Amino acid sequence: MCGERVIMGEGLGAINFGKLLTLNETAAWLWQQAQNMGDFTIEALAKRLCEEYNVTAEEAKVDVAELVAEWQKVDVLE
């Protein structure tokens, strides 16, 4: 959308633009990883983050947990 990476909920959630998330490069990469994995865990995404970026396992787990919480907040995850 306008050159930005965004995610939004489906159905009525998509109408509420207050629930629109703009993703930075890393968050967009994690979103793609999560989609490719289907059912994913925070630990599995954190592991992929460590493999791709120079980040410790502890940092990755905290960052992924915060990001997943944001995804849940805007109803893009079940």
Side-chain angles (χ1 to χ4, degrees):
M1 177 182 261
C2 299
E4 297 290 329
R5 296 174 194 99
V6 297
I7 55 175
M8 62 172 39
E10 294 185 51
L12 292 178
I15 296 170
N16 183 354
F17 288 106
K19 292 189 171 188
L20 183 73
L21 279 182
T22 302
L23 305 176
N24 65 22
E25 181 181 332
T26 305
W29 182 85
L30 281 167
W31 177 255
Q32 186 63 47
Q33 297 304 304
Q35 286 186 315
N36 292 342
M37 294 168 84
D39 290 333
F40 67 90
T41 64
I42 289 171
E43 291 78 13
L45 274 181
K47 181 179 179 195
R48 293 235 178 135
L49 184 62
C50 289
E51 293 168 355
E52 186 71 17
Y53 293 91
N54 185 22
V55 61
T56 68
E58 290 143 8
E59 290 173 312
K61 190 173 179 181
V62 168
D63 291 347
V64 169
E66 289 175 359
L67 185 58
V68 168
E70 284 295 314
W71 294 346
Q72 291 170 324
K73 185 177 173 182
V74 296
D75 297 325
V76 295
L77 291 180
E78 295 179 357

